[in-house]
Amino acid sequence: MTKIAELPRNEAGIAVALDELAAAFGERLLTGQAICEQHGHTTTWIDTQAPDGVIMATSTEDVSRAVSICAAHKVPVIAFGTGTSLEGHVNAPAGGICIDLMEMNQIVAVNAGDLDCRVQPGVTREALNTHLRDQGLFFPIDPGANASLGGMTATRASGTNAVRYGTMKDNVLSLEVVLADGRVIRTGGRARKSSAGYDLTRLMVGSEGTLGIITEITLRLQGIPEAISSARCSFPTVQAACETVMAVIQYGLPVARIELLDADVVKAVNAYSKLTLPGTPLLLLEFHGSEAGVVEQAETFGMLAEEFGGNGYAATTTAEERNKLWQARHDAYWAIVGLRPGCKAVATDVCVPISRFAEAVTAAQARAAELGLIAPIVGHAGDGNFHASLLVDMENAEEVARGEAFVKWLAELAISMDGTCTGEHGIGQGKRSYLTKEMGGAVDVMVTVKAALDPHNILNPGKILPE
Amino acid sequence: MTKIAELPRNEAGIAVALDELAAAFGERLLTGQAICEQHGHTTTWIDTQAPDGVIMATSTEDVSRAVSICAAHKVPVIAFGTGTSLEGHVNAPAGGICIDLMEMNQIVAVNAGDLDCRVQPGVTREALNTHLRDQGLFFPIDPGANASLGGMTATRASGTNAVRYGTMKDNVLSLEVVLADGRVIRTGGRARKSSAGYDLTRLMVGSEGTLGIITEITLRLQGIPEAISSARCSFPTVQAACETVMAVIQYGLPVARIELLDADVVKAVNAYSKLTLPGTPLLLLEFHGSEAGVVEQAETFGMLAEEFGGNGYAATTTAEERNKLWQARHDAYWAIVGLRPGCKAVATDVCVPISRFAEAVTAAQARAAELGLIAPIVGHAGDGNFHASLLVDMENAEEVARGEAFVKWLAELAISMDGTCTGEHGIGQGKRSYLTKEMGGAVDVMVTVKAALDPHNILNPGKILPE
């Protein structure tokens, strides 16, 4: 595993804080080794760094109280959801206290007339959508994992629907946040737009628990579309598929999803999900709209795809076929992992302007081959965001080094294209070294904001900002 | 006019800064009384507070140099665009230097393939759209005035298209900003989404020149739709019109515009634009999509409107008819002003959850009548945002007092409904007293951020934050 350096521990402070937290929370403070390690463990190739204790919070007051105790003794505080982040976000490099928010899982209110809802941070996106379905509503943001909405907010997550519905930044109306000294603020109300002062909502979205701990989220919702249809189309090359995506975006076709699977992924998916897709690059699409609208969208897409050599184009509106195709897409991670059992799948996450997408994807394929690496690619093509999933034997130090070289090369490629090293996973520990390359002097402003809002650096230290 | 208290002036610093600026900028430093007063004058009922000098900036380097000189002597710096803001944003209550950005009016790059562009802050929205038209592209945000894109970014502006295309926060990809000490940063690249660190772009959008001066803007663009159609529909009551809007939003009809004009505005518009609309509340709509799509949208709207007693429904796809209707909407401000010549039209700007929109609009009408005020209402109904334009005889102190009472009452009503005192105009000087009522302890966080990024409070002092 990749090791991230530990930070100095405030042993005396941690000991006193643990005593005070035990008095305040009783059995809801957990300090067993297994539970602590579990709370530093995520879907990442970065080594676990366990906290010293875990608070099972059940209310905003709990979070405020726990943070206040930690603040008094300058002890790190790390928020925890489903543990599905990918860049070591929940590691505790200086030890400290993890606040587990998964018992704060209430859907506080659904305002169907306003297409919004208020949820606690431990509600998962699937739990929310299950709750909403009977009201004809849904929440569109869908990262691969069934992540908590608090974690999704904290990492500015997105997923396959972002091309149509945006990312968490576009779908959070306002937040309740516990600050570094335990104060509780609300960053806004339920108006659909506002020009009232600084946009603290967006400052907190994507701040990865380093500026505050999110204890309630007001989300925008969507009505379930009258009709949904899916389509798939194979292409002779990644280039041809990407050019089709560019044409779709420029045409203004309001696709809800447009996903790229490269030939390696298609073959893996065929094997894993027992499908018979042609073993060439594939675009998988979804259209949302009226009955007539989705038919028209699918036809327009078919016409555009044909211009770029698309073949085997098939559209469907039956839920069964649609679900089968999208299930295959959602299982792509496991299909990829299955290509090399025993290896770790290391997710990369670059995002580039659409006009550079084909170039970036093909360059990534070529570079992986040069380095002797297996790195199948899936992409949220409509956003220019793609994941090359490196399959690395973590026991083989030389191969790990090649993997690290690829990850670095890819991040720098995206930055050189006016893109980003992370489209949706966040910086965490894993991408800190790229932030300054990407953002330059803006990082100093981030450091200033962090120092102002968390002067003792207790909120998720060692994340996002350079050392 | 409403007076806002002046702030203490740093006379010695201003004198030295003016000398240094004169040496650095020569004739591009203007200090004539008329030009200074013009740069403190905006579309507002707040008294002008002129700066001591105006720099006509032509480059980012100019802005950085001017800010550096002002920073060295702790002299206020106020950014200026078209001067169309509504809440005293460009006033200089402590004197200081205005930086006029209107000569920074270059469209630096248009990336048609990526649907984005880079512009200097002095480009107006109309100039940008004129430039884009031949490429089949447009920028959708349209506040009433032909504002500068820098000013629109700084106030988080929106307008009639926001229901479909969002506000400036949704359409700015990244910014170049001059900080309070003259440093220049870029807040991001051209990727359509990113999870790389704190969202400084959104922190700057809506910060009204108090955290930095925007010197370049990367904007998202849209393809001009294949088809555009308009519709209008009269309603017996505001309640019926608002209920139709709620139905439209819940139905998920992707209206591009849905504007409410109350009966007073319709009558004013009839007189001003020589139309013969029924003298009852009106909804004015625009649909963007494919040829078939806009027809279907218009039909669906007609069906929904009928359920709520809509009458005189008329749809059109000819550009001439459409332009005539929308011209009338855009001229509504002048039509309203014409109702009471010699009076000032004072814009209000509350925004509430859609489910409270009907209640808020009808309460505002009733309250204005109670207070003996004329306050016709237009609303960006799809967002729950409306403007009651008070027509006030500014020479009549007692009437001005009634006007102020109405403005305060309306802001507090919106806040009590979980809405905001400003949907799109910003806080400026005029709404500072409501910010704490609306945001509570979050204002303390804003104050902390401001102090961290502008420790000597030289960037647009006396705006947004409470004293």
Side-chain angles (χ1 to χ4, degrees), chain B residues 21-256:
Chain B
L21 290 164
F25 290 94
E27 289 182 359
R28 292 193 291 129
L29 170 67
L30 306 170
T31 54
Q33 189 183 341
I35 204 95
C36 286
E37 288 197 349
Q38 181 198 318
H39 282 80
H41 183 75
T42 51
T43 321
T44 176
W45 67 339
I46 298 168
D47 260 356
T48 296
Q49 294 167 322
D52 296 284
V54 178
I55 299 286
M56 301 304 293
T58 61
S59 67
T60 300
E61 293 67 36
D62 276 354
V63 177
S64 172
R65 194 171 182 192
V67 171
S68 297
I69 290 171
C70 290
H73 304 290
K74 300 189 175 59
V75 167
V77 185
I78 301 138
F80 189 90
T82 55
T84 47
S85 72
L86 290 155
E87 294 292 348
H89 290 89
V90 299
N91 262 343
I97 305 301
C98 172
I99 301 185
D100 185 317
L101 298 155
M102 291 309 288
E103 290 183 12
M104 290 179 65
N105 59 4
Q106 298 302 301
I107 296 167
V108 181
V110 175
N111 305 296
D114 296 311
L115 296 181
D116 69 40
C117 70
R118 285 197 296 142
V119 300
Q120 290 188 311
V123 175
T124 66
R125 63 180 184 87
E126 288 180 6
L128 178 61
N129 278 323
T130 300
H131 182 89
L132 294 172
R133 197 169 296 138
D134 288 348
Q135 297 178 70
L137 301 172
F138 78 112
F139 180 69
I141 312 302
D142 69 330
N146 181 24
S148 69
L149 290 157
M152 287 167 63
T153 304
T155 51
R156 205 181 295 128
S158 47
T160 63
N161 279 313
V163 62
R164 168 78 171 256
Y165 298 102
T167 76
M168 287 304 285
K169 96 174 149 49
D170 306 300
N171 289 281
V172 172
L173 278 175
S174 60
L175 296 168
E176 180 188 78
V177 179
V178 173
L179 301 175
D181 57 7
R183 269 180 297 158
V184 182
I185 61 161
R186 299 193 79 91
T187 63
R190 294 202 299 118
R192 290 175 80 78
K193 64 181 196 183
S194 168
S195 285
Y198 304 155
D199 191 345
L200 299 182
T201 304
R202 250 54 59 182
L203 182 62
M204 291 294 169
V205 172
S207 65
E208 302 184 8
T210 66
L211 298 179
I213 295 182
I214 295 161
T215 49
E216 195 175 275
I217 310 156
T218 302
L219 293 167
R220 289 182 70 150
L221 302 175
Q222 302 287 331
I224 294 175
E226 180 189 332
I228 299 178
S229 79
S230 284
R232 64 179 170 84
C233 191
S234 296
F235 290 85
T237 61
V238 158
Q239 179 80 22
C242 294
E243 281 172 357
T244 304
V245 173
M246 266 190 78
V248 163
I249 298 299
Q250 280 192 62
Y251 189 92
L253 197 66
V255 287

Side-chain angles (χ1 to χ4, degrees), chain B residues 328-346:
Chain B
R329 165 65 187 86
H330 284 309
D331 290 342
Y333 174 81
W334 299 110
I336 291 166
V337 169
L339 286 176
R340 229 187 137 195
C343 286
K344 188 91 190 168
V346 178

Side-chain angles (χ1 to χ4, degrees), chain A residues 195-210:
Chain A
S195 285
Y198 305 156
D199 191 345
L200 300 181
T201 304
R202 252 52 60 181
L203 182 62
M204 291 293 169
V205 172
S207 65
E208 303 184 7
T210 66

